Every structure is written in structure tokens, then in C-alpha cells.
Amino acid sequence: MRRSAAPLLLLLLPATLLALPHVLPRFHTYVASIVLLTALLATSLNLAIGYTGLYQFGHAVFYGVGAYGTALMLTRSGMPAPIAFLVGPLAAAALSLAMGVICIRLSKLYFGMLQISLGSLVWAVVYRWYSFTGGDDGIHGIPLPDAIASTKGAYYFTLAVTALCVFAMYRIVRSPFGKVIQGVRDNPVRAAAIGVDVKLHQLASLVIAGFFGGVAGSLFVVVESSVFPDMMFWTFSLEVLIMCLLGGMYTFFGPFVGASAIVLLRVFASVHTRYWGLILGTILTLVIILLPDGVLGVFVRRSVPKETPGA
Amino acid sequence: MRKITWFSAVVLSMFCIAGSGVAGDTIKVGFVDTYSGPATTFTNDVLDGFKMAAEKINAKGGVLGKKITWVTRDDKFKPDIGLTMAKELILSENVDLLVGTINSATALAVSDLCRKEKVPFLVTFSKSDKITGSMGHRYVFGMNENTEMAGRATARALAKRKFVKYWIAGDDYEYGHAIANGVFDHLKTLNPKVELLGQSWWKVGETDFTPYITQILAAKPDFVIVATGGGGMVNFQKAAQSTGFNRKVPFYQHTAIELSTLMPQGKNAPEGVYGTANYLFYYPDTKENKAFVEEFRKAYNRYPKSGALYGYMTAEFIAKSFEKAGKVDREKFIDAMEGMTLPSPVGPMEMRACDHQVTLPMFFGVTKTSAQYDFLIAGDIVSVPGKDYMPSCAEVAKARAK
Amino acid sequence: MDFAANLFSAGTLSQILVGLSRTTILFIVSSGMSLILGVLRIPNVAHGSLYMIGAFAAWSVIQFLGGGLFAFLAAMIVAPLIVAAVGFVLERGFFSYLYEREHLMLLLLTFAFMLILGDLVKIVWGPEYRSVTVPAFFQGSAEIFGLPLPWYNLFLLLVGPCIAVFLWLVINRTNFGKIARAAAVDGEMVGAVGINTGWIFAFTFVLGSFLAGLGGALIAPMVNISLGMDHTLIMETFLIVIIGGLGNMWGALLGSLIFGLTQSLGILVWPQFGIAFPYLAVVAVLVVRPRGLLRSTW
């Protein structure tokens, strides 16, 4: 982002976001909540893809596990809500670590496909384990604390958590750790040569991405008070990936823009036409042709070297 | 900077284009259903059946002097989109009530939403027995059969026959297991001699059943309960026809005798397949059914399938309930609909007050060729009246209490 | 279930034959994907859409020609050609300008095409189920060890190796094949030597599309032709291509064999979870041989 734009946005944006529920009708507030948590999800994915260069094709499974973890805690254990909201993301992070350890030996496309395969196995377990997870019916009517159960309450909670997490990720990306993983992304061989433990950094990045993906899942529980196995299916992983690519995966706020665009398009285009796919597909095609690095990529000169064939 | 402002402006304006629903001099019905993908063939019938009835009612002056209008939203067979669309219909379009959807998970989620928002929700096509069973409540109504009902009806029909060794096979998702368990568990209570030799479950959308078929044949059961749904119905029947499975071992599928399953296959559908269905355009051969079929064909140039019956009766129940209530009030609407019995193409249909489940007959038959049509129809039809195969009010109350 | 007895019965051989016929469709569609991914480096998510168009196009051709063996055989040729034409339009109209982009951005483009093509199919053919009947010549089944194997499956068993041989000839014995393989490894160099890679890439994409369409046309008599077919095969296809080795025809064949056989044999071992076996096989392969079983082009 260019320097001059930042301070202006820093003032306008929070004010708009805080005032939103009082200005817009209930449905739009609800949609705004969905936009925020999806943007959080996309940003978390970008940590793995844009900043670490890993082909994270199965990210939805962390979102789903975060959501199911929280949902199961809220419906089955007697634990208070705050603990439930922590269990989800922690479970997602743990899964991310476990899957990461298996997948990290592979690179690029192979990493992605193995991740999808493992993710599909998790999905299959959730889908079939009807007695525990509700199977393909999902879980509904999840009890939530009164303060966050209403549309407005859910929105403010989502806003607060999203802001906090996005801020945390921003700091991580700007920190020395963040610089190292970008170095690993650009040239793993050189990074290793100067003594960086490449695999360790990639794993750390995966766990963080998984954790915040899980947080987004927990937020979904708050906004919809339901969970579904579709949340962790590979087609949703692909959608989130598309959001990052659309918005620009080499910028921090790119995924935010991409997620907003796709969620808003999906909701409001569906309202007016049956051929939502055609419209979204056409828009995406135009973006790719005209904006090679995604929407926000236009503002950031890409300093990443192109891959050489045969590498 | 300019690009960002432009982009933000576009985004914000999208917020404003949303539906401008203002409820006024109409009764507004919101449809949230799947209008893309393979389920569309069923849901189009529901909508068309509804439209036919609604247009007729509107032509006669409407309900309480108001016309029935409807809006549709596509949930793409995804529960999260379904929930969003349901919220949009309730909050933005201000519909008076919701109708939908063929996806059971979505139906359950929307049902929960309607309970919180106190909006009546009439469920069409979803077959999960939880909708009016364990997860039922005041604001949800079931407008068609569910897996529990289909299971009981079939068990009654099969219990009298001489099959002892059973095999269960089907699509590996909740619907498949619910149908299979529904049939077999009740069968076992009615006829304790039956035994289960084994089970085979394939992924939803499976296209090659030959490995499963050979395995089942090797086990030599007397009868196979095949729990497929949606597209799996035709896929399995095709495999049965080409391997001769239907001639080697009798098998049953819920909706095997329905038009949606038999018509696409033309004269090549397998014969001798047992099935159940809630609507057959050629049976019963009553005045009401014939008139319904005639009207539907004239309007849409095709034969009505089960969905058309559900959609048509949904419109009828909506209209008559508002009339009885005397005003467009949701709570009075619910009170009025409870216990109401209306005539239908398949005979009188009652909306049971204790669980908001509609009572309708189930037809059990066997596929056979017909000289009159280019597709197979059902023969040896046995009609099981609704009250004989529905769970009792006491059982439902117990399920909901858990 | 006594699985040891099951494993060594005549049923096993029958299951193997069935698994092999299933391999044919998987192989045909995957080889197309492997070509496109291996040579052009495009992860083509729209490959499933091309497969679906192949099935619908086959239906249309058979409807137009009134059914029967001739209509069926004509459809097997015309439908893939239609899909190849679609592929040509996509390649010349879009991909040819974008090869320099990030792979992931190309993925985004193919995703967009998947959305567009899906809705186009809905517009052209409508939402109702279509069905193609197996021509009378292939109806019924043969008795293999007392268990039925449909004639159509046997037909597929023959078609598979024919396509494999044909592809091998194209890739190894024609100039096009040699150049395509070279271009897959080092496109710049090929261009520097004076060869017009543009047409090579176009033809590769067209061939890949043709194969996807052929897969769709071949499976049409066995299934319910419906919207949503574009999603069913795509995951399996990607996994097969990955475990087989990108751009490697024999790899696609090997991967398809693994997929087809692990599932049909898995059912014998553990009927309830047969569906998990191919995925477990994929995980096993990738853990042991991370770059796929056979040599890949990148």
C-alpha cells in the first residue's frame, strides 16, 4: 500500500466498520460478518501461500476443524464458551502440525495434493461419523452466549476477533520471522545455505496459518450457529485460494479484497440471477487478463523472481 | 488510490442493490432451493406445481383479497449458501413464509433459523426424518414423506413376503443409511426371522457398481435393499440392467418406481425392481388425479412427478390456512394449518397437528414395461394409507424430548 | 466377512477385470490432464467441465442420429471433437497469451472457465437428467466365472489399451510428440531453436481436451448425465496425474490402474470402506516417492 493512503484508511475504515450495524439493515450486517471471517480465512491462507510459497491446497480443512472443534465443545462438553472458542483453533493448529510433518517433505504441487488427500480423509471421517459429528447433516442450533448470539453481537465479536488476528498476522509478517519465510519462499536453497532451518520455518508458518484458519471457523459458528462438512471439502479450499489469487497473493490485504469481492458477489449476484457462475467466471477472467497479480497486485511491484522452467 | 476508491465504491453500492422487499398487498412466499446441479430436475417440479396452484388461486381473487407472489433463491445444494439465502429472504425480502429445500442439511439449518426468527417453514422434498421428528418444532412443516415413513411403509410390504436373507447396499451418506436402517429395523420388528448378511456402501455419485454387484451376488441374499438417492437411482438401475442384477436377485429402492427414475431410461429400465413412491401420475386412476395431470401437462408439457404434488399441495395449504386464519399473521397461520385436511390428487391429505407432518399414501410396486408409454411404470401397486406407516404422536414427542 | 477366502476366490478375478475397465475412463481423462499439466503447466480445473460437455454432446449426437450402434460410434468421435473445438477456443483465445503467468494464476483462470462452462451447459442443455442407452450390440453381460461382467465394460477394456498405444505413438514417434516433450522441459530453448511453440501448445491442449471429451462420451451410457459431473472426476484425475508423474502417459496409466484396482479389490477386503483405499494408496505413494512413481516433466 502506498504510504499516503494508509493514514486516511486507518481513520475511515474503523469508523465505518464500527458504525455499520447501526446504519445498515440486519441482513447486510450479517453479510458483513461473513465477509470479515472469510477475509480472515483468506489472509491466513495467504500466510502459507503468498508469504511462505507453499501450495496450500487443503486449507479448508483447518477452517472446518476449527468450526467443528468449537461446535462440538459448545454442544457436547459442559465447558464455558471461551474455552470452546480456543479449542477449535488449537485443534486446527494441531492438525496443521500433524499434516505438515507428513507433507513438508514434498514441494509445490505434490505438497498441495498430499495435503488435499489427507484433508479428504479428515473430511470423510467427519462426514461418516454421524453419531459424533452429525455426519452430512452437520450440527445446528449451537448454543451461544447471549451477548454474541444476536446479529449485531455476532458482528461486533467477529469484527473484534478478525481485527485482532489480522493485526497479529500483520506483525508476524513484518517481523524477522516474516522476512525469513519470505526468503525461504524466494530461494530455499540460499536460505538453507545461510543457516536457516527451512523445514522448521515452513512448519511454523503452516501451524500459524492453520491456527488462524481455525479462528475463522469458530467465527462461522458464532455467525451461523451451525457447521457443515462442506466447510472442509476441497472445493471450498479452492474457493479460498481463488480469493487470495484474485486479490493479489503478494500483498497483505489482497486476500481481504478477494474474499470481500467473492462473498459479496456470491450473495448479491445470486439474489438477481440464476447464472451466478457465469458472472463470477467472467469477472475472474477479466481480472486475470487485465490484472496479472490480482486486484491489489496492481499497486505492488512484484519483487519475487519468476520460476525458471525445469527448476 | 483512485482505483481503491473506485473499487470500494463498487463494493458499497453492491450492498445497496439488494432486494427491496416491502411486504404489502401480497402474500409473499420465499423459495430457497437448489436450482443448479443434478437436483434441479426435482425442484423444478416443486416450483411448477406450486405455481400452477397459486396462479389458479390468484385468478379466483387470491387469498383474503391478496395475490400470492413468490421469489426464489438458489442454494446450490450448499447449506451455508442456503442459510444465507434464507436470511436474505426473511430479512431483506420480508417474505411471509419460507418453502424449500431438497438438501436435508440445509433444511435442518433453515428450520433452526426459522425457529429463532419465528417464520413458518414448509419443507419440500427433503427426506430427513429429523425435520418433523427429533428436531421438529412449531415453525416447521413437512410437506412430503421422510425416511422413517418410507422405511415403515416398505417394511410392512416386505414383512409379508418370503424373503429371509437380506443385504443392504447404498449411497454412503445420511439419507442412504436412514432409508436402509428405516426399512430393515422395522422389518426386523415385524418379521424377526429376517437376517442381515452384509452391507456395501459406495461413495455418493458412484458410477461403476459392477464390483459391488458381483460381491453381493456372491453372497447369495434373497433380497437387497438398495439405498440410493438422487442421481444414484438411475446409475444403479443402469448397472442392474446391464449386469442382469434385477433378474438374479430382487431388490428395492425408495423412489424406484417414480417417473424421475424411470423416464430418463426409456424402455431400457430394469424390470422387476421393487420400489415406493408418493406420487404416480397414472395411479390412482381417480378424477382428481386425472384432472391434476391434465392441468399440469397443459401448463408445462410434461407429466408431473412427486415434486409437483408437493409443490401443489404446499400452495393449497398456504392458501387455505391464511383463509382460515382470517389475516396474514404467522402465528394464526400456524394454528390454522394444524389438523387441516385438504383434498389432493392422491386423496385427502391431513397436516397432523402434533408434529406438523403431512399424511399421504405411499405406493409400493414393481417396475414393468407398458404398452402405453415409452418408459416403465409400476405394477402390482399396493397403496399403504398414511396413518398406517407414520410414527405415532407419542413416538415423535419422545424423540423431540431427548 | 471371511476376507481371506474372498481375496482368493473367483470373485477376485472378476473384480480385477471390473477394476481394469474402470481404469480405462480414468486413464483417458487423466492422460489428457497429464498432457496439459505436464507440457503446458496448466493445472486445468476445467478438465471436468470438458468431460461433462463430452457426455452431453454424446447425448445430443445420439439423439440427433436416432440411436443405435452407428449413432453411438459416431458420438464417440463427434463428441470429443466438439470438446476439442472448445479446447481450441480456450487455448487460442486465452491461454496462449498467458503462459508467462504464475501457475497459480492459470489455476484461477481454469477455475473461472469451470464456472462459465458449467453455466453454459445449464443454458444449452437445461437441468433435466439425460440418459444414453448402451447400444443393443453391447447390452447384457458375459459370464466370467459365474459372475456377470457387462459387455460394455469389456468394450472399455479393449478401448483403453488402444488409446494408450495411440498416445504412445503420438508422443514418442511423431515430431509433434518430440517437440512437445522438449517444450515441456525447456520451452525457451525450443523457441530459440526456431520452432513455433505456439502451435505445439495449442495442439497439446486440443488433444488433452479431446481426451477429456472422449472420457465423457464413453462413460455416458453408464451413468446419469447431469450437471455436477464436472466435479466428480476432477479430484481423482489430479491425484492420478500426481502419483503417476506429470506429463507421463505411462504414469497416468499406472496411476489409473492403482486407483481402479485398489477400489475394486478394497471392496473385497473391507466392503464398508472400499472408497478410502485409493486415497490411502495416494498417501502411501507420495510419502514413499514424493515426485510420483514415474519420471515427470517438471
Side-chain angles (χ1 to χ4, degrees):
Chain A
M1 289 245 152
R2 287 198 223 134
R3 285 273 180 82
S4 55
L8 192 60
L9 275 157
L10 276 173
L11 280 176
L12 271 183
L13 212 49
T16 326
L17 289 172
L18 281 169
L20 213 82
H22 299 285
V23 174
L24 292 178
R26 256 182 90 200
F27 179 65
H28 297 72
T29 306
Y30 154 78
V31 174
S33 306
I34 299 279
V35 167
L36 284 171
L37 70 91
T38 312
L40 173 62
L41 178 64
T43 310
S44 72
L45 171 61
N46 204 29
L47 213 56
I49 280 204
Y51 285 96
T52 319
L54 296 165
Y55 280 38
Q56 180 97 325
F57 286 164
H59 199 65
V61 74
F62 307 119
Y63 176 67
V65 166
Y68 268 88
T70 302
L72 289 169
M73 286 296 287
L74 284 171
T75 51
R76 284 172 185 268
S77 76
M79 300 274 187
I83 303 210
F85 288 119
L86 270 178
V87 167
L90 286 175
L95 180 68
S96 186
L97 181 60
M99 283 173 62
V101 165
I102 302 176
C103 301
I104 206 79
R105 321 166 49 216
L106 313 184
S107 63
K108 295 202 171 13
L109 210 52
Y110 302 92
F111 170 87
M113 299 311 291
L114 184 55
Q115 199 186 56
I116 290 192
S117 304
L118 290 171
S120 297
L121 288 172
V122 173
W123 170 84
V125 168
V126 169
Y127 189 80
R128 278 286 277 122
W129 200 353
Y130 191 77
S131 51
F132 185 59
T133 63
D136 52 301
D137 276 347
I139 307 177
H140 312 281
I142 300 172
L144 295 167
D146 282 335
I148 57 175
S150 69
T151 312
K152 276 210 186 115
Y155 172 77
Y156 283 119
F157 184 72
T158 306
L159 181 60
V161 172
T162 303
L164 209 63
C165 293
V166 168
F167 179 68
M169 281 193 275
Y170 188 76
R171 291 311 304 264
I172 291 175
V173 157
R174 284 277 197 259
S175 73
F177 172 78
K179 297 274 188 283
V180 172
I181 59 177
Q182 287 180 76
V184 165
R185 170 196 69 194
D186 293 340
N187 201 331
V189 176
R190 185 187 273 183
I194 60 171
V196 169
D197 187 339
V198 169
K199 295 275 183 261
L200 193 64
H201 279 83
Q202 287 175 329
L203 263 179
S205 176
L206 282 177
V207 170
I208 299 174
F211 178 81
F212 286 113
V215 173
S218 301
L219 288 175
F220 183 89
V221 174
V222 172
V223 175
E224 298 279 28
S225 100
S226 308
V227 288
F228 315 101
D230 266 2
M231 290 171 74
M232 48 176 88
F233 199 55
W234 64 270
T235 44
F236 189 61
S237 293
L238 195 58
E239 268 189 61
V240 185
L241 178 62
I242 297 296
M243 293 174 196
C244 289
L245 296 175
L246 173 62
M249 68 179 186
Y250 291 111
T251 68
F252 185 78
F253 287 105
F256 220 97
V257 170
S260 312
I262 290 196
V263 172
L264 290 173
L265 257 172
R266 179 210 267 181
V267 171
F268 293 108
S270 290
V271 166
H272 294 282
T273 164
R274 274 190 171 199
Y275 299 115
W276 162 88
L278 202 56
I279 296 197
L280 179 61
T282 315
I283 293 183
L284 285 177
T285 309
L286 287 172
V287 166
I288 295 165
I289 295 177
L290 300 173
L291 304 172
D293 287 316
V295 173
L296 283 194
V298 177
F299 305 101
V300 175
R301 280 295 107 209
R302 200 158 67 95
S303 52
V304 181
K306 294 244 181 17
E307 293 170 21
T308 50
Chain B
M1 190 61 215
R2 230 178 292 134
K3 282 203 177 107
I4 295 191
T5 346
W6 175 83
F7 181 79
S8 318
V10 170
V11 164
L12 282 170
S13 64
M14 294 197 91
F15 265 107
C16 307
I17 310 178
S20 63
V22 177
D25 281 329
T26 61
I27 292 183
K28 206 166 181 189
V29 177
F31 278 84
V32 54
D33 215 333
T34 305
Y35 297 111
S36 49
T40 321
T41 178
F42 303 110
T43 55
N44 272 346
D45 262 34
V46 172
L47 191 58
D48 284 345
F50 179 90
K51 282 203 274 203
M52 190 168 93
E55 277 160 8
K56 220 169 38 171
I57 294 169
N58 284 345
K60 292 203 197 120
V63 178
L64 305 173
K66 300 176 202 277
K67 295 237 184 294
I68 302 179
T69 60
W70 54 91
V71 275
T72 63
R73 296 285 180 260
D74 184 2
D75 66 14
K76 301 184 181 40
F77 211 68
K78 286 192 181 151
D80 56 320
I81 300 186
L83 257 185
T84 304
M85 290 299 131
K87 287 190 185 177
E88 198 265 332
L89 286 172
I90 296 176
L91 300 173
S92 281
E93 290 287 335
N94 292 311
V95 296
D96 292 301
L97 54 102
L98 281 183
V99 177
T101 163
I102 191 171
N103 180 325
S104 285
T106 313
L108 288 167
V110 173
S111 169
D112 190 63
L113 172 72
C114 287
R115 180 179 55 89
K116 285 193 256 203
E117 298 286 329
K118 300 201 182 347
V119 174
F121 178 41
L122 277 59
V123 179
T124 51
F125 233 105
S126 270
K127 301 202 195 301
S128 168
D129 53 50
K130 296 194 164 36
I131 295 173
T132 50
S134 57
M135 297 186 54
H137 52 81
R138 177 178 164 77
Y139 294 92
V140 70
F141 294 83
M143 310 307 294
N144 53 269
E145 91 287 15
N146 57 42
T147 54
E148 172 76 9
M149 289 160 66
R152 284 178 189 235
T154 309
R156 286 179 72 99
L158 287 176
K160 304 189 196 112
R161 306 199 182 216
K162 47 184 171 32
F163 309 118
V164 173
K165 291 190 280 194
Y166 279 79
W167 188 281
I168 289 179
D171 290 346
D172 198 2
Y173 67 136
E174 211 275 321
Y175 172 77
H177 290 279
I179 282 275
N181 292 338
V183 175
F184 193 75
D185 291 346
H186 288 293
L187 186 56
K188 189 100 183 143
T189 29
L190 290 174
N191 181 356
K193 281 201 291 243
V194 304
E195 46 176 288
L196 186 60
L197 293 182
Q199 303 188 41
S200 316
W201 295 99
W202 48 76
K203 69 175 200 293
V204 176
E206 178 61 77
T207 50
D208 194 350
F209 299 98
T210 325
Y212 301 95
I213 287 179
T214 51
Q215 193 194 26
I216 295 173
L217 287 173
K220 300 201 196 329
D222 295 331
F223 194 87
V224 185
I225 299 171
V226 178
T228 49
M233 300 294 303
V234 173
N235 289 352
F236 188 82
Q237 287 198 353
K238 281 188 151 187
Q241 177 74 336
S242 65
T243 55
F245 186 64
N246 54 313
R247 291 183 283 284
K248 300 191 158 90
V249 138
F251 69 91
Y252 155 86
Q253 299 165 293
H254 179 48
T255 70
I257 54 175
E258 268 192 24
L259 197 59
S260 50
T261 307
L262 295 174
M263 197 155 82
Q265 302 179 69
K267 290 198 182 299
N268 282 291
E271 281 191 275
V273 177
Y274 293 77
T276 33
N278 275 126
Y279 183 71
L280 301 166
F281 75 88
Y282 46 87
Y283 186 94
D285 203 14
T286 57
K287 208 164 34 116
E288 291 85 13
N289 199 12
K290 283 218 269 256
F292 176 70
V293 174
E294 203 38 58
E295 222 186 304
F296 196 84
R297 288 193 75 187
K298 213 159 71 150
Y300 302 111
N301 204 19
R302 63 180 198 269
Y303 287 109
K305 311 196 270 283
S306 307
L309 176 72
Y310 308 149
Y312 186 84
M313 290 313 294
T314 300
E316 289 285 316
F317 271 106
I318 291 175
K320 299 285 187 298
S321 301
F322 275 120
E323 263 171 32
K324 184 164 161 207
K327 53 196 275 223
V328 185
D329 174 284
R330 287 169 175 160
E331 301 296 326
K332 290 198 161 44
F333 169 79
I334 293 173
D335 294 332
M337 191 145 87
E338 289 178 343
M340 179 178 279
T341 302
L342 292 179
S344 82
V346 294
M349 262 195 195
E350 185 203 347
M351 174 56 74
R352 207 159 72 162
C354 72
D355 60 353
H356 291 185
Q357 175 61 47
V358 91
T359 315
L360 69 178
M362 181 78 77
F363 305 114
F364 182 88
V366 185
T367 58
K368 67 175 217 264
T369 50
S370 151
Q372 201 185 349
Y373 301 107
D374 274 336
F375 43 82
L376 269 66
I377 58 171
D380 302 336
I381 300 177
V382 171
S383 176
V384 185
K387 56 179 173 45
D388 285 351
Y389 67 87
M390 285 177 67
S392 68
C393 284
E395 284 172 304
V396 173
K398 200 164 111 186
R400 287 193 190 180
K402 281 208 215 98
Chain C
M1 290 239 84
D2 191 1
F3 84 82
N6 265 341
L7 213 45
F8 296 106
S9 66
T12 307
L13 193 52
S14 168
Q15 293 292 65
I16 292 180
L17 285 175
V18 165
L20 287 177
S21 61
R22 172 188 226 134
T23 298
T24 297
I25 305 275
L26 287 173
F27 166 65
I28 292 177
V29 179
S30 312
S31 56
M33 166 85 88
S34 196
L35 264 181
I36 295 178
L37 188 53
V39 174
L40 304 175
R41 316 252 170 135
I42 301 176
N44 188 15
V45 186
H47 208 66
S49 314
L50 297 172
Y51 163 82
M52 178 167 72
I53 295 177
F56 275 96
W59 178 86
S60 290
V61 171
I62 292 178
Q63 287 291 103
F64 183 69
L65 292 177
L69 186 62
F70 172 71
F72 172 75
L73 291 174
M76 293 301 114
I77 301 179
V78 174
L81 283 174
I82 294 177
V83 178
V86 172
F88 183 75
V89 167
L90 291 179
E91 202 278 337
R92 284 287 96 183
F94 299 93
F95 290 116
S96 52
Y97 301 105
L98 304 172
Y99 284 125
E100 284 309 299
R101 306 290 179 83
E102 251 337 301
H103 302 317
L104 289 181
M105 291 309 271
L106 289 176
L107 175 84
L108 183 55
L109 186 62
T110 60
F111 181 83
F113 288 146
M114 181 177 84
L115 291 173
I116 294 177
L117 290 174
D119 268 1
L120 282 179
V121 169
K122 195 190 334 181
I123 293 175
V124 171
W125 279 284
E128 297 283 324
Y129 287 172
R130 309 285 174 194
S131 184
V132 164
T133 32
V134 178
F137 187 75
F138 291 119
Q139 271 171 24
S141 46
E143 292 276 317
I144 310 254
F145 301 100
L147 296 169
L149 187 67
W151 286 116
Y152 195 72
N153 282 60
L154 281 170
F155 169 65
L156 290 179
L157 265 177
L158 290 175
V159 167
C162 292
I163 302 283
V165 168
F166 168 73
L167 283 177
W168 180 81
L169 286 173
V170 166
I171 288 177
N172 289 299
R173 288 294 151 92
T174 63
N175 270 342
F176 156 75
K178 294 204 182 86
I179 298 173
R181 276 181 296 143
V185 175
D186 196 338
E188 273 184 70
M189 203 51 213
V190 171
V193 172
I195 297 174
N196 185 347
T197 48
W199 287 109
I200 299 291
F201 287 166
F203 192 70
T204 308
F205 196 85
V206 166
L207 180 59
S209 307
F210 180 87
L211 289 166
L214 180 61
L218 282 172
I219 204 157
M222 287 176 72
V223 304
N224 198 4
I225 302 174
S226 64
L227 306 171
M229 278 177 84
D230 48 357
H231 293 293
T232 50
L233 217 57
I234 199 79
M235 174 55 60
E236 292 169 333
T237 311
F238 263 114
L239 290 175
I240 287 172
V241 168
I242 292 286
I243 64 174
L246 298 167
N248 190 322
M249 283 308 109
W250 296 122
L253 186 58
L254 189 56
S256 307
L257 274 168
I258 293 178
F259 242 82
L261 290 175
T262 50
Q263 186 165 345
S264 52
L265 289 177
I267 296 164
L268 285 181
V269 172
W270 204 358
Q272 256 141 305
F273 294 98
I275 42 177
F277 280 77
Y279 292 92
L280 291 173
V282 169
V283 172
V285 167
L286 285 180
V287 166
V288 169
R289 285 204 40 122
R291 303 216 65 140
L293 290 165
L294 301 180
R295 204 164 23 141
S296 77
T297 53
W298 61 285

